[in-house]
Amino acid sequence: MKKILNDPNAYVDEMLAGLVAAHPEHYRLHGDSGKVIARAKDGKKGKVGIVTGGGSGHLPVFTGYVGTGLLDACAIGDVFASPSAEQMADAIRAADQGAGVLRLYGNYGGDVMNFDMAGDLVEFEDITCTTVLLADDVASAPPEEAEKRRGVAGMVYAFKMAGAAAEEGRDLDAVTAVAQKAADACRSIGAALSPCTVPQAGKPTFEIGDDEMEMGMGIHGEPGVWRGKLRTADEIAGEMMDRLLQDMPLDKGDRVSVMVNSLGATPPEELYILYRIVKQRLEGEGAEIVMPLVGRYATSMEMAGVSFTLCKLDDELEKLLNAPCDCAFWRVG
């Protein structure tokens, strides 16, 4: 294992300390655990709070999207490990400004269980919570079992749109409805070329040949839909778009935002090679692209690979997508 670290057991704590030190205008540590990040300045009183949580190893997800027009707080676990229920409860407390808190996160068993327990803990403190789960990974379950799908990069769109709705002063039910609408509008798929290494494990999460790739692999190395010889960029992009458009067909005149996302090691040059085909396919469907996002938005440590996310917009979602936001990793307006 080659990583720039000290003690593998201190990897997340030291990363968070550095994150806060580098961006004090955006982030602060909250509570005693050292694993809850909140906005440097609380949201205004009476604003709905939005929290997320999940394992480390995915920056900017989850922690990076704490900021104005986005999230209020985040509980972060060890690499690829869920935060504890108490850490999640601390994040909820940090986000609460008296108008309730939306829990907005990916559909993973440990996160669901611990966020449910956290909700029980803060219920005695008169903090009202709602929940929206992201389940946008089309490779992880068929459409008839969409509730079993994993939550991946589509959560970035949900953070943005729900965060904008909260900044407008909408109440908890309305912010929750926006988050659910955004979640329902997203479809994602990934492709992996190499594994990554969890520092505490000290070895790759899986093995794959130097001349191989896996279509549909999850962000923690969950099995995809096929493994075979590495294909060309145009072939990879074509199949990924086929699978997304089969799951969420587009009509002429539809407006859609698209994210071409590096899973960690894939450089921007290769993302732009892929985006050529994404744009061609969407324009071929008669769709209009709004705010294309090309870069690192949801990663998996140093995994080489890419994910595509389509977010189908209506007037409300498009307005919220274009509303101002500001964090260390993404700024709009």
PDB file of all heavy atoms in Angstrom, residues 122-145:
ATOM      1  N   VAL A 122     -32.982  12.366  18.951  1.00  0.00           N
ATOM      2  CA  VAL A 122     -33.287  13.805  18.983  1.00  0.00           C
ATOM      3  C   VAL A 122     -34.780  14.075  19.118  1.00  0.00           C
ATOM      4  O   VAL A 122     -35.177  15.214  19.396  1.00  0.00           O
ATOM      5  CB  VAL A 122     -32.734  14.524  17.728  1.00  0.00           C
ATOM      6  CG1 VAL A 122     -31.224  14.348  17.640  1.00  0.00           C
ATOM      7  CG2 VAL A 122     -33.413  14.056  16.450  1.00  0.00           C
ATOM      8  N   GLU A 123     -35.594  13.044  18.958  1.00  0.00           N
ATOM      9  CA  GLU A 123     -37.038  13.231  19.112  1.00  0.00           C
ATOM     10  C   GLU A 123     -37.367  13.732  20.508  1.00  0.00           C
ATOM     11  O   GLU A 123     -38.290  14.544  20.701  1.00  0.00           O
ATOM     12  CB  GLU A 123     -37.766  11.912  18.837  1.00  0.00           C
ATOM     13  CG  GLU A 123     -39.279  12.015  18.885  1.00  0.00           C
ATOM     14  CD  GLU A 123     -39.956  10.694  18.565  1.00  0.00           C
ATOM     15  OE1 GLU A 123     -39.253   9.720  18.204  1.00  0.00           O
ATOM     16  OE2 GLU A 123     -41.196  10.629  18.688  1.00  0.00           O
ATOM     17  N   PHE A 124     -36.594  13.294  21.496  1.00  0.00           N
ATOM     18  CA  PHE A 124     -36.831  13.723  22.877  1.00  0.00           C
ATOM     19  C   PHE A 124     -36.394  15.164  23.104  1.00  0.00           C
ATOM     20  O   PHE A 124     -36.645  15.730  24.160  1.00  0.00           O
ATOM     21  CB  PHE A 124     -36.091  12.787  23.836  1.00  0.00           C
ATOM     22  CG  PHE A 124     -36.584  11.363  23.775  1.00  0.00           C
ATOM     23  CD1 PHE A 124     -35.838  10.388  23.133  1.00  0.00           C
ATOM     24  CD2 PHE A 124     -37.798  11.009  24.341  1.00  0.00           C
ATOM     25  CE1 PHE A 124     -36.288   9.073  23.060  1.00  0.00           C
ATOM     26  CE2 PHE A 124     -38.261   9.694  24.272  1.00  0.00           C
ATOM     27  CZ  PHE A 124     -37.503   8.733  23.629  1.00  0.00           C
ATOM     28  N   GLU A 125     -35.707  15.748  22.112  1.00  0.00           N
ATOM     29  CA  GLU A 125     -35.267  17.138  22.209  1.00  0.00           C
ATOM     30  C   GLU A 125     -36.147  18.051  21.359  1.00  0.00           C
ATOM     31  O   GLU A 125     -35.783  19.188  21.081  1.00  0.00           O
ATOM     32  CB  GLU A 125     -33.801  17.233  21.759  1.00  0.00           C
ATOM     33  CG  GLU A 125     -32.870  16.359  22.588  1.00  0.00           C
ATOM     34  CD  GLU A 125     -31.492  16.196  21.966  1.00  0.00           C
ATOM     35  OE1 GLU A 125     -31.042  17.125  21.272  1.00  0.00           O
ATOM     36  OE2 GLU A 125     -30.872  15.137  22.171  1.00  0.00           O
ATOM     37  N   ASP A 126     -37.289  17.524  20.948  1.00  0.00           N
ATOM     38  CA  ASP A 126     -38.272  18.278  20.153  1.00  0.00           C
ATOM     39  C   ASP A 126     -37.705  18.742  18.816  1.00  0.00           C
ATOM     40  O   ASP A 126     -38.029  19.823  18.318  1.00  0.00           O
ATOM     41  CB  ASP A 126     -38.800  19.485  20.939  1.00  0.00           C
ATOM     42  CG  ASP A 126     -39.622  19.071  22.152  1.00  0.00           C
ATOM     43  OD1 ASP A 126     -40.312  18.033  22.049  1.00  0.00           O
ATOM     44  OD2 ASP A 126     -39.567  19.753  23.181  1.00  0.00           O
ATOM     45  N   ILE A 127     -36.852  17.926  18.216  1.00  0.00           N
ATOM     46  CA  ILE A 127     -36.362  18.189  16.857  1.00  0.00           C
ATOM     47  C   ILE A 127     -37.106  17.257  15.912  1.00  0.00           C
ATOM     48  O   ILE A 127     -37.003  16.034  16.024  1.00  0.00           O
ATOM     49  CB  ILE A 127     -34.847  17.963  16.738  1.00  0.00           C
ATOM     50  CG1 ILE A 127     -34.091  18.876  17.707  1.00  0.00           C
ATOM     51  CG2 ILE A 127     -34.384  18.217  15.304  1.00  0.00           C
ATOM     52  CD1 ILE A 127     -32.585  18.637  17.726  1.00  0.00           C
ATOM     53  N   THR A 128     -37.858  17.829  15.002  1.00  0.00           N
ATOM     54  CA  THR A 128     -38.623  17.051  14.028  1.00  0.00           C
ATOM     55  C   THR A 128     -37.745  16.732  12.819  1.00  0.00           C
ATOM     56  O   THR A 128     -37.085  17.612  12.280  1.00  0.00           O
ATOM     57  CB  THR A 128     -39.857  17.831  13.561  1.00  0.00           C
ATOM     58  OG1 THR A 128     -40.666  18.135  14.696  1.00  0.00           O
ATOM     59  CG2 THR A 128     -40.669  17.026  12.564  1.00  0.00           C
ATOM     60  N   CYS A 129     -37.739  15.467  12.389  1.00  0.00           N
ATOM     61  CA  CYS A 129     -36.916  15.050  11.262  1.00  0.00           C
ATOM     62  C   CYS A 129     -37.765  14.393  10.173  1.00  0.00           C
ATOM     63  O   CYS A 129     -38.772  13.740  10.456  1.00  0.00           O
ATOM     64  CB  CYS A 129     -35.859  14.040  11.705  1.00  0.00           C
ATOM     65  SG  CYS A 129     -34.621  14.689  12.831  1.00  0.00           S
ATOM     66  N   THR A 130     -37.325  14.567   8.951  1.00  0.00           N
ATOM     67  CA  THR A 130     -37.839  13.815   7.813  1.00  0.00           C
ATOM     68  C   THR A 130     -36.661  13.158   7.108  1.00  0.00           C
ATOM     69  O   THR A 130     -35.499  13.476   7.390  1.00  0.00           O
ATOM     70  CB  THR A 130     -38.595  14.718   6.825  1.00  0.00           C
ATOM     71  OG1 THR A 130     -37.710  15.762   6.377  1.00  0.00           O
ATOM     72  CG2 THR A 130     -39.829  15.325   7.465  1.00  0.00           C
ATOM     73  N   THR A 131     -36.953  12.240   6.184  1.00  0.00           N
ATOM     74  CA  THR A 131     -35.897  11.487   5.510  1.00  0.00           C
ATOM     75  C   THR A 131     -36.174  11.379   4.023  1.00  0.00           C
ATOM     76  O   THR A 131     -37.315  11.109   3.613  1.00  0.00           O
ATOM     77  CB  THR A 131     -35.780  10.062   6.086  1.00  0.00           C
ATOM     78  OG1 THR A 131     -35.419  10.137   7.465  1.00  0.00           O
ATOM     79  CG2 THR A 131     -34.745   9.238   5.342  1.00  0.00           C
ATOM     80  N   VAL A 132     -35.136  11.566   3.223  1.00  0.00           N
ATOM     81  CA  VAL A 132     -35.164  11.228   1.796  1.00  0.00           C
ATOM     82  C   VAL A 132     -33.901  10.425   1.502  1.00  0.00           C
ATOM     83  O   VAL A 132     -32.794  10.839   1.841  1.00  0.00           O
ATOM     84  CB  VAL A 132     -35.223  12.483   0.900  1.00  0.00           C
ATOM     85  CG1 VAL A 132     -35.034  12.104  -0.571  1.00  0.00           C
ATOM     86  CG2 VAL A 132     -36.547  13.204   1.087  1.00  0.00           C
ATOM     87  N   LEU A 133     -34.085   9.265   0.875  1.00  0.00           N
ATOM     88  CA  LEU A 133     -32.973   8.400   0.505  1.00  0.00           C
ATOM     89  C   LEU A 133     -32.693   8.530  -0.981  1.00  0.00           C
ATOM     90  O   LEU A 133     -33.622   8.523  -1.800  1.00  0.00           O
ATOM     91  CB  LEU A 133     -33.293   6.940   0.821  1.00  0.00           C
ATOM     92  CG  LEU A 133     -33.452   6.551   2.285  1.00  0.00           C
ATOM     93  CD1 LEU A 133     -33.808   5.069   2.383  1.00  0.00           C
ATOM     94  CD2 LEU A 133     -32.175   6.828   3.054  1.00  0.00           C
ATOM     95  N   LEU A 134     -31.418   8.605  -1.333  1.00  0.00           N
ATOM     96  CA  LEU A 134     -31.014   8.576  -2.735  1.00  0.00           C
ATOM     97  C   LEU A 134     -30.816   7.134  -3.153  1.00  0.00           C
ATOM     98  O   LEU A 134     -30.125   6.372  -2.475  1.00  0.00           O
ATOM     99  CB  LEU A 134     -29.728   9.361  -2.939  1.00  0.00           C
ATOM    100  CG  LEU A 134     -29.886  10.828  -3.321  1.00  0.00           C
ATOM    101  CD1 LEU A 134     -30.522  10.977  -4.703  1.00  0.00           C
ATOM    102  CD2 LEU A 134     -30.678  11.591  -2.284  1.00  0.00           C
ATOM    103  N   ALA A 135     -31.410   6.767  -4.267  1.00  0.00           N
ATOM    104  CA  ALA A 135     -31.311   5.405  -4.792  1.00  0.00           C
ATOM    105  C   ALA A 135     -31.245   5.503  -6.316  1.00  0.00           C
ATOM    106  O   ALA A 135     -32.138   5.049  -7.028  1.00  0.00           O
ATOM    107  CB  ALA A 135     -32.511   4.570  -4.345  1.00  0.00           C
ATOM    108  N   ASP A 136     -30.158   6.099  -6.819  1.00  0.00           N
ATOM    109  CA  ASP A 136     -30.078   6.475  -8.234  1.00  0.00           C
ATOM    110  C   ASP A 136     -29.239   5.547  -9.093  1.00  0.00           C
ATOM    111  O   ASP A 136     -29.178   5.715 -10.316  1.00  0.00           O
ATOM    112  CB  ASP A 136     -29.532   7.906  -8.369  1.00  0.00           C
ATOM    113  CG  ASP A 136     -28.233   8.134  -7.612  1.00  0.00           C
ATOM    114  OD1 ASP A 136     -28.199   7.831  -6.411  1.00  0.00           O
ATOM    115  OD2 ASP A 136     -27.267   8.626  -8.219  1.00  0.00           O
ATOM    116  N   ASP A 137     -28.577   4.538  -8.508  1.00  0.00           N
ATOM    117  CA  ASP A 137     -27.659   3.681  -9.264  1.00  0.00           C
ATOM    118  C   ASP A 137     -28.435   2.606 -10.022  1.00  0.00           C
ATOM    119  O   ASP A 137     -28.871   1.612  -9.443  1.00  0.00           O
ATOM    120  CB  ASP A 137     -26.655   3.046  -8.304  1.00  0.00           C
ATOM    121  CG  ASP A 137     -25.579   2.232  -9.006  1.00  0.00           C
ATOM    122  OD1 ASP A 137     -25.687   2.012 -10.228  1.00  0.00           O
ATOM    123  OD2 ASP A 137     -24.619   1.829  -8.338  1.00  0.00           O
ATOM    124  N   VAL A 138     -28.594   2.789 -11.329  1.00  0.00           N
ATOM    125  CA  VAL A 138     -29.446   1.889 -12.113  1.00  0.00           C
ATOM    126  C   VAL A 138     -28.864   0.489 -12.230  1.00  0.00           C
ATOM    127  O   VAL A 138     -29.592  -0.468 -12.532  1.00  0.00           O
ATOM    128  CB  VAL A 138     -29.723   2.455 -13.526  1.00  0.00           C
ATOM    129  CG1 VAL A 138     -30.380   3.824 -13.433  1.00  0.00           C
ATOM    130  CG2 VAL A 138     -28.459   2.514 -14.376  1.00  0.00           C
ATOM    131  N   ALA A 139     -27.550   0.326 -12.003  1.00  0.00           N
ATOM    132  CA  ALA A 139     -26.933  -0.990 -12.130  1.00  0.00           C
ATOM    133  C   ALA A 139     -27.171  -1.865 -10.908  1.00  0.00           C
ATOM    134  O   ALA A 139     -26.920  -3.073 -10.966  1.00  0.00           O
ATOM    135  CB  ALA A 139     -25.431  -0.845 -12.369  1.00  0.00           C
ATOM    136  N   SER A 140     -27.648  -1.289  -9.820  1.00  0.00           N
ATOM    137  CA  SER A 140     -27.717  -2.035  -8.567  1.00  0.00           C
ATOM    138  C   SER A 140     -29.035  -2.761  -8.343  1.00  0.00           C
ATOM    139  O   SER A 140     -29.124  -3.597  -7.438  1.00  0.00           O
ATOM    140  CB  SER A 140     -27.430  -1.103  -7.384  1.00  0.00           C
ATOM    141  OG  SER A 140     -28.292   0.005  -7.367  1.00  0.00           O
ATOM    142  N   ALA A 141     -30.052  -2.467  -9.129  1.00  0.00           N
ATOM    143  CA  ALA A 141     -31.332  -3.171  -9.045  1.00  0.00           C
ATOM    144  C   ALA A 141     -32.174  -2.768 -10.251  1.00  0.00           C
ATOM    145  O   ALA A 141     -32.021  -1.657 -10.776  1.00  0.00           O
ATOM    146  CB  ALA A 141     -32.077  -2.841  -7.748  1.00  0.00           C
ATOM    147  N   PRO A 142     -33.085  -3.636 -10.694  1.00  0.00           N
ATOM    148  CA  PRO A 142     -33.943  -3.305 -11.841  1.00  0.00           C
ATOM    149  C   PRO A 142     -34.998  -2.268 -11.454  1.00  0.00           C
ATOM    150  O   PRO A 142     -35.235  -2.016 -10.260  1.00  0.00           O
ATOM    151  CB  PRO A 142     -34.587  -4.644 -12.200  1.00  0.00           C
ATOM    152  CG  PRO A 142     -34.577  -5.427 -10.923  1.00  0.00           C
ATOM    153  CD  PRO A 142     -33.328  -5.005 -10.206  1.00  0.00           C
ATOM    154  N   PRO A 143     -35.647  -1.651 -12.456  1.00  0.00           N
ATOM    155  CA  PRO A 143     -36.630  -0.599 -12.157  1.00  0.00           C
ATOM    156  C   PRO A 143     -37.742  -1.046 -11.221  1.00  0.00           C
ATOM    157  O   PRO A 143     -38.200  -0.262 -10.380  1.00  0.00           O
ATOM    158  CB  PRO A 143     -37.178  -0.232 -13.537  1.00  0.00           C
ATOM    159  CG  PRO A 143     -36.090  -0.592 -14.495  1.00  0.00           C
ATOM    160  CD  PRO A 143     -35.438  -1.810 -13.912  1.00  0.00           C
ATOM    161  N   GLU A 144     -38.172  -2.297 -11.334  1.00  0.00           N
ATOM    162  CA  GLU A 144     -39.264  -2.766 -10.476  1.00  0.00           C
ATOM    163  C   GLU A 144     -38.823  -2.942  -9.021  1.00  0.00           C
ATOM    164  O   GLU A 144     -39.661  -3.126  -8.132  1.00  0.00           O
ATOM    165  CB  GLU A 144     -39.848  -4.080 -11.007  1.00  0.00           C
ATOM    166  CG  GLU A 144     -38.888  -5.236 -11.096  1.00  0.00           C
ATOM    167  CD  GLU A 144     -38.141  -5.311 -12.438  1.00  0.00           C
ATOM    168  OE1 GLU A 144     -38.085  -4.274 -13.157  1.00  0.00           O
ATOM    169  OE2 GLU A 144     -37.634  -6.403 -12.751  1.00  0.00           O
ATOM    170  N   GLU A 145     -37.519  -2.874  -8.765  1.00  0.00           N
ATOM    171  CA  GLU A 145     -36.995  -2.922  -7.402  1.00  0.00           C
ATOM    172  C   GLU A 145     -36.136  -1.688  -7.128  1.00  0.00           C
ATOM    173  O   GLU A 145     -35.109  -1.752  -6.447  1.00  0.00           O
ATOM    174  CB  GLU A 145     -36.174  -4.187  -7.187  1.00  0.00           C
ATOM    175  CG  GLU A 145     -36.975  -5.469  -7.314  1.00  0.00           C
ATOM    176  CD  GLU A 145     -36.119  -6.709  -7.094  1.00  0.00           C
ATOM    177  OE1 GLU A 145     -35.074  -6.845  -7.752  1.00  0.00           O
ATOM    178  OE2 GLU A 145     -36.501  -7.526  -6.234  1.00  0.00           O
TER     179      GLU A 145
END
